[in-house]
CSV table of all heavy atoms in Angstrom, one decimal:
chain,number,residue,atom,x,y,z
M,1,TYR,N,-116.7,-94.9,-12.3
M,1,TYR,CA,-116.0,-96.2,-12.1
M,1,TYR,C,-114.6,-96.1,-12.7
M,1,TYR,O,-113.7,-96.9,-12.3
M,1,TYR,CB,-116.8,-97.3,-12.8
M,1,TYR,CG,-118.0,-97.8,-12.0
M,1,TYR,CD1,-119.2,-98.1,-12.7
M,1,TYR,CD2,-117.9,-98.0,-10.6
M,1,TYR,CE1,-120.3,-98.6,-12.0
M,1,TYR,CE2,-119.0,-98.5,-9.9
M,1,TYR,CZ,-120.2,-98.7,-10.6
M,1,TYR,OH,-121.3,-99.2,-9.9
M,2,PHE,N,-114.4,-95.3,-13.7
M,2,PHE,CA,-113.1,-95.3,-14.3
M,2,PHE,C,-112.0,-94.6,-13.4
M,2,PHE,O,-110.8,-94.9,-13.6
M,2,PHE,CB,-113.1,-94.5,-15.7
M,2,PHE,CG,-113.8,-95.3,-16.8
M,2,PHE,CD1,-115.1,-95.0,-17.2
M,2,PHE,CD2,-113.2,-96.4,-17.4
M,2,PHE,CE1,-115.7,-95.7,-18.2
M,2,PHE,CE2,-113.9,-97.2,-18.4
M,2,PHE,CZ,-115.1,-96.8,-18.8
M,3,PHE,N,-112.5,-93.9,-12.4
M,3,PHE,CA,-111.6,-93.2,-11.6
M,3,PHE,C,-111.3,-94.0,-10.3
M,3,PHE,O,-110.5,-93.6,-9.5
M,3,PHE,CB,-112.1,-91.8,-11.2
M,3,PHE,CG,-112.2,-90.9,-12.3
M,3,PHE,CD1,-113.4,-90.5,-12.8
M,3,PHE,CD2,-111.0,-90.4,-12.9
M,3,PHE,CE1,-113.5,-89.7,-14.0
M,3,PHE,CE2,-111.1,-89.6,-14.1
M,3,PHE,CZ,-112.4,-89.2,-14.5
M,4,GLU,N,-111.9,-95.2,-10.2
M,4,GLU,CA,-111.6,-96.1,-9.1
M,4,GLU,C,-110.3,-96.9,-9.3
M,4,GLU,O,-110.0,-97.2,-10.4
M,4,GLU,CB,-112.7,-97.0,-8.8
M,4,GLU,CG,-114.0,-96.3,-8.2
M,4,GLU,CD,-115.1,-97.3,-8.0
M,4,GLU,OE1,-114.9,-98.5,-8.1
M,4,GLU,OE2,-116.2,-96.8,-7.5
M,5,ASP,N,-109.6,-97.3,-8.3
M,5,ASP,CA,-108.4,-98.0,-8.4
M,5,ASP,C,-108.6,-99.6,-8.4
M,5,ASP,O,-107.7,-100.3,-8.5
M,5,ASP,CB,-107.4,-97.7,-7.3
M,5,ASP,CG,-106.9,-96.3,-7.4
M,5,ASP,OD1,-106.9,-95.8,-8.6
M,5,ASP,OD2,-106.5,-95.6,-6.4
M,6,ASP,N,-109.9,-99.9,-8.3
M,6,ASP,CA,-110.2,-101.4,-8.3
M,6,ASP,C,-110.0,-102.0,-9.6
M,6,ASP,O,-110.6,-101.7,-10.6
M,6,ASP,CB,-111.6,-101.6,-7.8
M,6,ASP,CG,-111.9,-103.0,-7.4
M,6,ASP,OD1,-111.0,-103.9,-7.4
M,6,ASP,OD2,-113.1,-103.3,-7.1
M,7,THR,N,-109.0,-103.0,-9.7
M,7,THR,CA,-108.7,-103.7,-11.0
M,7,THR,C,-109.7,-104.8,-11.3
M,7,THR,O,-109.6,-105.3,-12.4
M,7,THR,CB,-107.3,-104.2,-11.0
M,7,THR,OG1,-107.1,-105.1,-9.9
M,7,THR,CG2,-106.3,-103.1,-10.9
M,8,LYS,N,-110.5,-105.2,-10.3
M,8,LYS,CA,-111.5,-106.3,-10.6
M,8,LYS,C,-112.6,-105.9,-11.5
M,8,LYS,O,-113.2,-106.7,-12.2
M,8,LYS,CB,-112.1,-106.7,-9.3
M,8,LYS,CG,-111.1,-107.4,-8.3
M,8,LYS,CD,-111.8,-107.7,-7.0
M,8,LYS,CE,-110.8,-108.2,-6.0
M,8,LYS,NZ,-111.5,-108.4,-4.7
M,9,LEU,N,-112.9,-104.6,-11.5
M,9,LEU,CA,-114.0,-104.1,-12.3
M,9,LEU,C,-113.6,-103.8,-13.8
M,9,LEU,O,-113.3,-102.7,-14.1
M,9,LEU,CB,-114.6,-102.8,-11.7
M,9,LEU,CG,-115.1,-102.9,-10.3
M,9,LEU,CD1,-115.5,-101.5,-9.8
M,9,LEU,CD2,-116.3,-103.8,-10.2
M,10,LYS,N,-113.6,-104.8,-14.6
M,10,LYS,CA,-113.1,-104.6,-16.0
M,10,LYS,C,-114.3,-104.3,-16.9
M,10,LYS,O,-114.1,-103.5,-17.8
M,10,LYS,CB,-112.4,-105.9,-16.4
M,10,LYS,CG,-111.1,-106.1,-15.7
M,10,LYS,CD,-110.4,-107.3,-16.2
M,10,LYS,CE,-109.1,-107.5,-15.4
M,10,LYS,NZ,-108.4,-108.7,-15.9
M,11,TYR,N,-115.4,-104.9,-16.8
M,11,TYR,CA,-116.5,-104.7,-17.7
M,11,TYR,C,-117.6,-103.8,-17.1
M,11,TYR,O,-118.3,-103.2,-17.9
M,11,TYR,CB,-117.1,-106.1,-18.1
M,11,TYR,CG,-117.7,-106.8,-16.9
M,11,TYR,CD1,-119.1,-106.6,-16.5
M,11,TYR,CD2,-117.0,-107.6,-16.1
M,11,TYR,CE1,-119.6,-107.1,-15.5
M,11,TYR,CE2,-117.6,-108.3,-15.0
M,11,TYR,CZ,-118.9,-108.0,-14.7
M,11,TYR,OH,-119.5,-108.7,-13.6
M,12,LYS,N,-117.7,-103.6,-15.9
M,12,LYS,CA,-118.8,-102.9,-15.2
M,12,LYS,C,-118.8,-101.4,-15.7
M,12,LYS,O,-119.9,-100.9,-16.0
M,12,LYS,CB,-118.7,-103.0,-13.7
M,12,LYS,CG,-119.9,-102.5,-13.0
M,12,LYS,CD,-119.8,-102.8,-11.5
M,12,LYS,CE,-121.0,-102.5,-10.8
M,12,LYS,NZ,-120.9,-102.8,-9.3
M,13,PRO,N,-117.7,-100.7,-15.8
M,13,PRO,CA,-117.8,-99.3,-16.2
M,13,PRO,C,-118.3,-99.1,-17.6
M,13,PRO,O,-119.0,-98.2,-17.9
M,13,PRO,CB,-116.3,-98.8,-16.0
M,13,PRO,CG,-115.6,-99.8,-15.3
M,13,PRO,CD,-116.4,-101.1,-15.3
M,14,TYR,N,-117.9,-100.1,-18.4
M,14,TYR,CA,-118.3,-100.0,-19.8
M,14,TYR,C,-119.9,-100.2,-20.0
M,14,TYR,O,-120.5,-99.5,-20.7
M,14,TYR,CB,-117.6,-100.9,-20.7
M,14,TYR,CG,-116.1,-100.7,-20.7
M,14,TYR,CD1,-115.2,-101.4,-20.0
M,14,TYR,CD2,-115.5,-99.6,-21.4
M,14,TYR,CE1,-113.8,-101.2,-19.9
M,14,TYR,CE2,-114.2,-99.3,-21.4
M,14,TYR,CZ,-113.4,-100.1,-20.7
M,14,TYR,OH,-112.0,-99.8,-20.6
M,15,ILE,N,-120.3,-101.2,-19.3
M,15,ILE,CA,-121.8,-101.5,-19.4
M,15,ILE,C,-122.6,-100.4,-18.8
M,15,ILE,O,-123.6,-100.0,-19.5
M,15,ILE,CB,-122.1,-102.8,-18.6
M,15,ILE,CG1,-121.5,-104.0,-19.3
M,15,ILE,CG2,-123.6,-103.1,-18.4
M,15,ILE,CD1,-121.6,-105.3,-18.6
M,16,VAL,N,-122.2,-99.8,-17.7
M,16,VAL,CA,-123.0,-98.7,-17.1
M,16,VAL,C,-122.9,-97.5,-18.0
M,16,VAL,O,-123.9,-96.8,-18.2
M,16,VAL,CB,-122.5,-98.4,-15.7
M,16,VAL,CG1,-123.2,-97.2,-15.1
M,16,VAL,CG2,-122.8,-99.7,-14.8
M,17,THR,N,-121.8,-97.2,-18.5
M,17,THR,CA,-121.6,-96.0,-19.4
M,17,THR,C,-122.4,-96.2,-20.7
M,17,THR,O,-123.1,-95.3,-21.1
M,17,THR,CB,-120.1,-95.8,-19.8
M,17,THR,OG1,-119.3,-95.7,-18.6
M,17,THR,CG2,-119.9,-94.6,-20.7
M,18,ILE,N,-122.4,-97.4,-21.2
M,18,ILE,CA,-123.2,-97.7,-22.4
M,18,ILE,C,-124.7,-97.6,-22.1
M,18,ILE,O,-125.5,-97.0,-22.9
M,18,ILE,CB,-122.9,-99.1,-23.0
M,18,ILE,CG1,-121.5,-99.1,-23.7
M,18,ILE,CG2,-124.0,-99.5,-24.0
M,18,ILE,CD1,-121.0,-100.4,-24.1
M,19,LEU,N,-125.1,-98.0,-20.9
M,19,LEU,CA,-126.5,-97.9,-20.5
M,19,LEU,C,-126.9,-96.3,-20.4
M,19,LEU,O,-128.0,-96.0,-20.9
M,19,LEU,CB,-126.7,-98.5,-19.2
M,19,LEU,CG,-128.1,-98.5,-18.6
M,19,LEU,CD1,-129.1,-99.3,-19.5
M,19,LEU,CD2,-128.1,-99.0,-17.2
M,20,GLY,N,-126.0,-95.5,-19.9
M,20,GLY,CA,-126.3,-94.1,-19.8
M,20,GLY,C,-126.4,-93.5,-21.2
M,20,GLY,O,-127.3,-92.7,-21.5
M,21,ILE,N,-125.5,-93.8,-22.1
M,21,ILE,CA,-125.5,-93.3,-23.5
M,21,ILE,C,-126.8,-93.8,-24.2
M,21,ILE,O,-127.4,-93.0,-24.9
M,21,ILE,CB,-124.3,-93.7,-24.2
M,21,ILE,CG1,-123.0,-93.1,-23.7
M,21,ILE,CG2,-124.4,-93.5,-25.7
M,21,ILE,CD1,-121.7,-93.6,-24.2
M,22,THR,N,-127.3,-95.0,-23.9
M,22,THR,CA,-128.5,-95.5,-24.5
M,22,THR,C,-129.7,-94.7,-24.1
M,22,THR,O,-130.5,-94.3,-24.9
M,22,THR,CB,-128.7,-97.0,-24.2
M,22,THR,OG1,-127.5,-97.7,-24.6
M,22,THR,CG2,-129.9,-97.5,-24.8
M,23,TYR,N,-129.8,-94.4,-22.8
M,23,TYR,CA,-130.9,-93.5,-22.3
M,23,TYR,C,-130.8,-92.1,-22.9
M,23,TYR,O,-131.9,-91.5,-23.3
M,23,TYR,CB,-130.9,-93.4,-20.8
M,23,TYR,CG,-131.7,-94.5,-20.1
M,23,TYR,CD1,-131.0,-95.5,-19.4
M,23,TYR,CD2,-133.1,-94.5,-20.1
M,23,TYR,CE1,-131.7,-96.5,-18.8
M,23,TYR,CE2,-133.8,-95.5,-19.5
M,23,TYR,CZ,-133.2,-96.5,-18.8
M,23,TYR,OH,-133.8,-97.5,-18.2
M,24,LEU,N,-129.6,-91.6,-23.1
M,24,LEU,CA,-129.5,-90.3,-23.7
M,24,LEU,C,-129.9,-90.3,-25.2
M,24,LEU,O,-130.6,-89.4,-25.7
M,24,LEU,CB,-128.1,-89.7,-23.5
M,24,LEU,CG,-127.7,-89.3,-22.1
M,24,LEU,CD1,-126.2,-88.9,-22.1
M,24,LEU,CD2,-128.6,-88.2,-21.6
M,25,LEU,N,-129.5,-91.3,-25.9
M,25,LEU,CA,-130.0,-91.5,-27.3
M,25,LEU,C,-131.4,-91.7,-27.4
M,25,LEU,O,-132.1,-91.2,-28.3
M,25,LEU,CB,-129.2,-92.6,-27.9
M,25,LEU,CG,-127.7,-92.4,-28.1
M,25,LEU,CD1,-127.0,-93.7,-28.7
M,25,LEU,CD2,-127.5,-91.2,-29.1
M,26,LEU,N,-132.0,-92.4,-26.5
M,26,LEU,CA,-133.5,-92.6,-26.5
M,26,LEU,C,-134.2,-91.3,-26.2
M,26,LEU,O,-135.2,-91.0,-26.9
M,26,LEU,CB,-133.8,-93.7,-25.3
M,26,LEU,CG,-135.3,-94.1,-25.3
M,26,LEU,CD1,-135.8,-94.7,-26.5
M,26,LEU,CD2,-135.5,-94.9,-24.0
M,27,PHE,N,-133.7,-90.5,-25.3
M,27,PHE,CA,-134.2,-89.1,-25.1
M,27,PHE,C,-134.2,-88.3,-26.4
M,27,PHE,O,-135.2,-87.7,-26.8
M,27,PHE,CB,-133.5,-88.4,-23.9
M,27,PHE,CG,-133.8,-87.0,-23.9
M,27,PHE,CD1,-135.0,-86.5,-23.4
M,27,PHE,CD2,-132.9,-86.0,-24.5
M,27,PHE,CE1,-135.2,-85.1,-23.4
M,27,PHE,CE2,-133.1,-84.7,-24.5
M,27,PHE,CZ,-134.3,-84.2,-23.9
M,28,LEU,N,-133.1,-88.3,-27.1
M,28,LEU,CA,-132.9,-87.5,-28.3
M,28,LEU,C,-133.8,-88.0,-29.4
M,28,LEU,O,-134.5,-87.3,-30.1
M,28,LEU,CB,-131.5,-87.5,-28.7
M,28,LEU,CG,-130.5,-86.7,-27.9
M,28,LEU,CD1,-129.0,-86.9,-28.4
M,28,LEU,CD2,-130.9,-85.2,-27.9
M,29,TYR,N,-133.9,-89.4,-29.5
M,29,TYR,CA,-134.8,-89.9,-30.6
M,29,TYR,C,-136.2,-89.6,-30.3
M,29,TYR,O,-136.9,-89.2,-31.2
M,29,TYR,CB,-134.6,-91.4,-30.6
M,29,TYR,CG,-135.5,-92.1,-31.6
M,29,TYR,CD1,-135.1,-92.1,-33.0
M,29,TYR,CD2,-136.6,-92.8,-31.2
M,29,TYR,CE1,-135.9,-92.7,-33.9
M,29,TYR,CE2,-137.4,-93.4,-32.1
M,29,TYR,CZ,-137.1,-93.3,-33.4
M,29,TYR,OH,-138.0,-93.9,-34.4
M,30,GLU,N,-136.7,-89.8,-29.1
M,30,GLU,CA,-138.1,-89.5,-28.7
M,30,GLU,C,-138.4,-88.0,-28.8
M,30,GLU,O,-139.5,-87.7,-29.1
M,30,GLU,CB,-138.5,-90.1,-27.4
M,30,GLU,CG,-138.5,-91.6,-27.4
M,30,GLU,CD,-138.9,-92.2,-26.1
M,30,GLU,OE1,-138.9,-91.5,-25.1
M,30,GLU,OE2,-139.1,-93.5,-26.1
M,31,PHE,N,-137.5,-87.2,-28.5
M,31,PHE,CA,-137.7,-85.7,-28.5
M,31,PHE,C,-137.8,-85.3,-30.0
M,31,PHE,O,-138.7,-84.5,-30.3
M,31,PHE,CB,-136.5,-85.0,-27.8
M,31,PHE,CG,-136.7,-83.5,-27.8
M,31,PHE,CD1,-137.7,-82.9,-26.9
M,31,PHE,CD2,-136.0,-82.7,-28.7
M,31,PHE,CE1,-137.8,-81.6,-26.9
M,31,PHE,CE2,-136.2,-81.3,-28.7
M,31,PHE,CZ,-137.1,-80.7,-27.8
M,32,LYS,N,-137.0,-85.8,-30.9
M,32,LYS,CA,-137.0,-85.4,-32.3
M,32,LYS,C,-138.1,-86.1,-33.1
M,32,LYS,O,-138.8,-85.4,-33.9
M,32,LYS,CB,-135.6,-85.7,-32.9
M,32,LYS,CG,-135.5,-85.3,-34.3
M,32,LYS,CD,-134.1,-85.3,-34.7
M,32,LYS,CE,-133.9,-85.0,-36.2
M,32,LYS,NZ,-134.6,-84.0,-36.8
M,33,GLN,N,-138.3,-87.4,-32.9
M,33,GLN,CA,-139.2,-88.1,-33.7
M,33,GLN,C,-140.7,-88.0,-33.3
M,33,GLN,O,-141.6,-88.3,-34.0
M,33,GLN,CB,-138.9,-89.6,-33.8
M,33,GLN,CG,-137.7,-89.9,-34.6
M,33,GLN,CD,-137.9,-89.5,-36.1
M,33,GLN,OE1,-138.9,-89.8,-36.6
M,33,GLN,NE2,-136.9,-88.9,-36.7
C-alpha cells in the first residue's frame, strides 16, 4: 500500500502492516512459550 500513489489511503497501510506484525509476533510468542 505504501507504493501506491493513492492519497486517500492514509490509515489503511498502517493498520494492515500492524496486523501483519501482530501475527508475526503471535507466531514467535507461541513458538517460544
